[in-house]
Amino acid sequence: MAAGGLLDGGDEVDEMIKIHNFARGARGLRVMWQCEEMGLPYRVEVVSYPPSEAYLALNPLGTVPFLEDEGGAAINESIAMMLYLAQKYGPTPLLPGKDDPALARVLQMTAFGEATIGAGLNTLLEAHFGAPEAEKRGFSVRSQEARVERAVRFVAELLGDGPYLAGDHLTLADISVSTALGIWRGALGHALPDRLASYRERLAERPAYRRARSLCDGQIGPPPP
Protein backbone atom coordinates (compact mmCIF):
# COMPACT_ATOMS: atom_id res chain seq x y z
CA MET A 1 0.00 0.00 0.00
CA ALA A 2 1.33 3.45 -0.86
CA ALA A 3 2.47 5.81 1.84
CA GLY A 4 0.24 8.58 2.97
CA GLY A 5 -2.49 9.24 5.47
CA LEU A 6 -6.23 9.59 5.32
CA LEU A 7 -8.52 11.72 7.40
CA ASP A 8 -11.19 9.91 9.36
CA GLY A 9 -13.89 8.60 7.08
CA GLY A 10 -11.48 6.88 4.68
CA ASP A 11 -11.99 3.34 3.51
CA GLU A 12 -8.74 1.81 4.77
CA VAL A 13 -8.67 -1.42 6.72
CA ASP A 14 -8.99 -1.35 10.50
CA GLU A 15 -5.47 -2.74 10.94
CA MET A 16 -3.88 0.42 9.55
CA ILE A 17 -1.87 2.60 11.94
CA LYS A 18 -4.28 5.15 13.44
CA ILE A 19 -3.07 8.49 14.75
CA HIS A 20 -5.62 10.34 16.89
CA ASN A 21 -4.87 14.06 16.93
CA PHE A 22 -6.41 17.47 17.56
CA ALA A 23 -6.87 19.53 14.42
CA ARG A 24 -3.40 20.75 13.40
CA GLY A 25 -1.82 19.27 16.53
CA ALA A 26 1.98 19.57 16.29
CA ARG A 27 2.86 16.41 18.20
CA GLY A 28 0.58 14.36 15.99
CA LEU A 29 2.25 15.94 12.97
CA ARG A 30 5.54 14.62 14.36
CA VAL A 31 4.27 11.03 14.10
CA MET A 32 2.61 11.59 10.72
CA TRP A 33 5.88 12.96 9.35
CA GLN A 34 7.71 9.85 10.47
CA CYS A 35 5.13 7.62 8.79
CA GLU A 36 5.60 9.55 5.56
CA GLU A 37 9.40 9.28 5.76
CA MET A 38 9.12 5.51 6.32
CA GLY A 39 6.44 4.95 3.69
CA LEU A 40 3.95 3.63 6.25
CA PRO A 41 0.23 3.83 5.53
CA TYR A 42 -1.67 5.49 8.34
CA ARG A 43 -5.01 7.02 9.13
CA VAL A 44 -5.73 10.23 11.03
CA GLU A 45 -8.66 10.34 13.43
CA VAL A 46 -9.52 13.92 14.40
CA VAL A 47 -10.20 14.39 18.13
CA SER A 48 -12.67 17.05 19.22
CA TYR A 49 -11.87 19.61 21.91
CA PRO A 50 -12.85 18.93 24.60
CA PRO A 51 -12.46 15.21 23.89
CA SER A 52 -15.59 13.13 23.55
CA GLU A 53 -16.64 10.43 25.99
CA ALA A 54 -15.81 7.87 23.31
CA TYR A 55 -12.26 9.16 23.04
CA LEU A 56 -11.83 9.26 26.82
CA ALA A 57 -12.89 5.62 26.94
CA LEU A 58 -10.11 4.87 24.47
CA ASN A 59 -7.51 7.16 26.09
CA PRO A 60 -8.57 8.17 29.63
CA LEU A 61 -5.93 10.92 29.78
CA GLY A 62 -7.67 12.69 26.91
CA THR A 63 -4.30 13.67 25.45
CA VAL A 64 -3.15 13.68 21.85
CA PRO A 65 -1.61 12.23 19.86
CA PHE A 66 -2.71 8.69 20.54
CA LEU A 67 -1.63 5.80 18.34
CA GLU A 68 -3.35 2.48 17.69
CA ASP A 69 -1.82 -0.36 15.71
CA GLU A 70 -2.40 -4.01 15.05
CA GLY A 71 -1.98 -6.44 17.89
CA GLY A 72 -3.55 -4.09 20.43
CA ALA A 73 -0.80 -1.45 20.50
CA ALA A 74 -2.13 1.72 22.15
CA ILE A 75 0.35 4.50 22.93
CA ASN A 76 -0.19 8.04 24.23
CA GLU A 77 3.33 9.52 24.16
CA SER A 78 4.58 10.82 20.81
CA ILE A 79 8.22 9.87 21.42
CA ALA A 80 7.19 6.34 22.38
CA MET A 81 5.17 6.19 19.16
CA MET A 82 8.20 7.21 17.15
CA LEU A 83 10.45 4.59 18.71
CA TYR A 84 7.74 1.95 18.37
CA LEU A 85 7.21 2.63 14.67
CA ALA A 86 10.95 2.71 13.93
CA GLN A 87 11.54 -0.59 15.69
CA LYS A 88 8.45 -2.43 14.52
CA TYR A 89 8.55 -1.35 10.88
CA GLY A 90 12.30 -0.79 10.51
CA PRO A 91 15.11 -0.99 9.97
CA THR A 92 15.06 2.65 8.99
CA PRO A 93 17.75 5.34 8.68
CA LEU A 94 15.66 7.35 11.13
CA LEU A 95 16.92 5.11 13.96
CA PRO A 96 20.52 3.87 13.68
CA GLY A 97 21.32 0.27 14.51
CA LYS A 98 22.74 -0.79 17.85
CA ASP A 99 26.31 -0.81 16.55
CA ASP A 100 26.09 2.64 14.97
CA PRO A 101 27.87 5.28 17.07
CA ALA A 102 25.15 7.79 16.11
CA LEU A 103 22.54 5.80 18.06
CA ALA A 104 23.35 7.41 21.40
CA ARG A 105 22.88 10.94 20.10
CA VAL A 106 19.71 10.04 18.22
CA LEU A 107 18.15 8.60 21.36
CA GLN A 108 19.34 11.52 23.48
CA MET A 109 18.00 14.21 21.19
CA THR A 110 14.78 12.39 20.37
CA ALA A 111 13.98 12.40 24.08
CA PHE A 112 15.38 15.93 24.49
CA GLY A 113 12.90 17.31 21.96
CA GLU A 114 10.01 16.43 24.24
CA ALA A 115 11.39 15.94 27.76
CA THR A 116 13.49 19.11 27.82
CA ILE A 117 11.89 21.44 25.26
CA GLY A 118 8.38 20.14 24.63
CA ALA A 119 7.39 19.53 28.24
CA GLY A 120 8.46 23.05 29.13
CA LEU A 121 6.33 24.44 26.34
CA ASN A 122 3.16 23.00 27.87
CA THR A 123 3.32 25.41 30.82
CA LEU A 124 4.09 28.32 28.53
CA LEU A 125 1.23 27.51 26.17
CA GLU A 126 -1.22 27.25 29.05
CA ALA A 127 -0.10 30.61 30.42
CA HIS A 128 -0.05 32.28 27.01
CA PHE A 129 -3.52 31.17 25.96
CA GLY A 130 -5.31 30.57 29.24
CA ALA A 131 -3.90 32.63 32.12
CA PRO A 132 -5.43 35.93 33.25
CA GLU A 133 -3.52 38.87 31.80
CA ALA A 134 -1.89 39.72 35.12
CA GLU A 135 -0.44 36.19 35.41
CA LYS A 136 0.84 35.66 31.88
CA ARG A 137 4.33 36.88 32.78
CA GLY A 138 4.61 35.42 36.28
CA PHE A 139 7.75 34.00 37.87
CA SER A 140 7.14 30.42 36.73
CA VAL A 141 6.58 31.56 33.15
CA ARG A 142 9.76 33.62 33.07
CA SER A 143 11.75 30.80 34.63
CA GLN A 144 10.42 28.26 32.18
CA GLU A 145 11.14 30.54 29.23
CA ALA A 146 14.74 30.85 30.39
CA ARG A 147 15.08 27.05 30.58
CA VAL A 148 13.68 26.61 27.07
CA GLU A 149 15.95 29.36 25.75
CA ARG A 150 18.97 27.51 27.17
CA ALA A 151 17.77 24.32 25.55
CA VAL A 152 17.34 26.06 22.20
CA ARG A 153 20.87 27.45 22.39
CA PHE A 154 22.14 23.96 23.19
CA VAL A 155 20.47 22.60 20.06
CA ALA A 156 22.00 25.37 17.95
CA GLU A 157 25.47 24.60 19.30
CA LEU A 158 25.00 20.87 18.78
CA LEU A 159 23.84 21.37 15.20
CA GLY A 160 26.75 23.65 14.40
CA ASP A 161 27.27 23.78 10.65
CA GLY A 162 25.99 20.25 10.11
CA PRO A 163 22.87 19.38 8.15
CA TYR A 164 21.25 17.29 10.89
CA LEU A 165 21.55 16.71 14.63
CA ALA A 166 23.15 13.27 14.47
CA GLY A 167 25.09 13.03 11.23
CA ASP A 168 24.51 13.42 7.53
CA HIS A 169 20.89 12.28 7.29
CA LEU A 170 17.55 12.85 8.94
CA THR A 171 16.78 10.87 12.10
CA LEU A 172 14.10 10.73 14.76
CA ALA A 173 16.12 13.35 16.62
CA ASP A 174 15.43 15.93 13.91
CA ILE A 175 11.73 15.11 13.74
CA SER A 176 11.40 15.39 17.51
CA VAL A 177 13.45 18.53 18.09
CA SER A 178 12.30 20.48 15.04
CA THR A 179 8.68 19.92 16.06
CA ALA A 180 9.36 21.42 19.49
CA LEU A 181 11.20 24.34 17.91
CA GLY A 182 8.19 24.92 15.68
CA ILE A 183 5.90 25.26 18.71
CA TRP A 184 8.36 27.64 20.38
CA ARG A 185 8.50 29.84 17.30
CA GLY A 186 5.00 29.42 15.89
CA ALA A 187 2.55 29.20 18.78
CA LEU A 188 4.63 31.25 21.24
CA GLY A 189 6.26 33.69 18.82
CA HIS A 190 9.89 33.33 19.92
CA ALA A 191 12.72 33.84 17.45
CA LEU A 192 15.16 31.04 16.67
CA PRO A 193 18.91 31.46 16.17
CA ASP A 194 19.65 31.88 12.47
CA ARG A 195 21.13 28.40 12.05
CA LEU A 196 18.04 26.79 13.61
CA ALA A 197 15.69 28.90 11.53
CA SER A 198 17.54 27.76 8.40
CA TYR A 199 17.55 24.18 9.65
CA ARG A 200 13.78 24.16 10.12
CA GLU A 201 13.24 25.74 6.71
CA ARG A 202 15.28 22.97 5.08
CA LEU A 203 13.35 20.25 6.90
CA ALA A 204 10.05 21.86 5.90
CA GLU A 205 10.99 21.38 2.25
CA ARG A 206 11.20 17.61 2.58
CA PRO A 207 8.42 15.97 0.55
CA ALA A 208 7.47 13.71 3.47
CA TYR A 209 7.09 16.68 5.80
CA ARG A 210 5.06 18.60 3.25
CA ARG A 211 2.68 15.67 2.77
CA ALA A 212 2.19 15.25 6.50
CA ARG A 213 1.80 18.99 7.03
CA SER A 214 -0.77 19.25 4.27
CA LEU A 215 -2.83 16.47 5.81
CA CYS A 216 -2.48 17.88 9.32
CA ASP A 217 -3.42 21.43 8.24
CA GLY A 218 -6.38 20.05 6.32
CA GLN A 219 -8.01 18.60 9.41
CA ILE A 220 -11.40 20.08 10.11
CA GLY A 221 -12.02 22.17 13.19
CA PRO A 222 -10.18 24.81 15.24
CA PRO A 223 -7.05 23.91 17.17
CA PRO A 224 -7.39 23.64 20.93
CA PRO A 225 -6.64 26.79 22.94
Side-chain angles (χ1 to χ4, degrees), residues 20 26-27 29 45 47-48 50 66 81 94 98 202:
H20 301 262
R27 289 174 171 91
L29 171 61
E45 301 280 354
V47 177
S48 63
F66 182 73
M81 296 175 202
L94 296 176
K98 63 180 182 179
R202 285 191 290 104

Side-chain angles (χ1 to χ4, degrees), residues 57 143 166:
S143 297

Side-chain angles (χ1 to χ4, degrees), residues 91-178:
T92 169
L94 296 176
L95 182 64
K98 63 180 182 179
D99 296 323
D100 190 325
L103 176 62
R105 178 172 289 187
V106 171
L107 292 175
Q108 175 199 355
M109 297 309 295
T110 300
F112 186 92
E114 187 61 23
T116 301
I117 304 179
L121 297 178
N122 291 338
T123 299
L124 299 179
L125 289 167
E126 186 173 2
H128 183 75
F129 290 106
E133 193 63 36
E135 299 177 22
K136 288 184 182 295
R137 298 296 305 163
F139 173 79
S140 61
V141 171
R142 297 195 307 273
S143 297
Q144 189 59 60
E145 280 184 344
R147 284 192 287 269
V148 174
E149 286 169 353
R150 286 196 297 272
V152 170
R153 290 195 298 271
F154 173 79
V155 173
E157 292 168 3
L158 186 67
L159 179 66
D161 295 324
Y164 301 104
L165 290 174
D168 295 330
H169 59 80
L170 184 85
T171 67
L172 297 183
D174 301 291
I175 294 176
S176 173
V177 170
S178 65

Side-chain angles (χ1 to χ4, degrees), residues 14-102:
D14 289 340
E15 289 76 15
M16 176 182 285
I17 296 165
K18 293 181 184 177
I19 302 168
H20 301 262
N21 195 34
F22 287 142
R24 300 187 293 282
R27 289 174 171 91
L29 171 61
R30 173 188 274 163
V31 184
M32 295 159 63
W33 179 9
Q34 178 182 351
C35 286
E36 293 285 355
E37 292 283 356
M38 293 181 65
L40 301 177
Y42 63 97
R43 174 173 175 155
V44 178
E45 301 280 354
V46 180
V47 177
S48 63
Y49 187 86
S52 67
E53 290 298 323
Y55 183 69
L56 291 173
L58 181 67
N59 175 20
L61 289 175
T63 55
V64 295
F66 182 73
L67 181 143
E68 293 183 279
D69 196 14
E70 62 182 4
I75 307 172
N76 61 10
E77 292 289 341
S78 63
I79 300 305
M81 296 175 202
M82 294 170 67
L83 294 171
Y84 165 81
L85 293 173
Q87 292 183 58
K88 179 168 182 179
Y89 295 104
T92 169
L94 296 176
L95 182 64
K98 63 180 182 179
D99 296 323
D100 190 325

Side-chain angles (χ1 to χ4, degrees), residues 23-25 29 32 209 211-221:
R24 300 187 293 282
L29 171 61
M32 295 159 63
Y209 176 86
R211 289 192 299 268
R213 185 77 205 215
S214 177
L215 179 63
C216 194
D217 286 352
Q219 294 174 2
I220 299 170

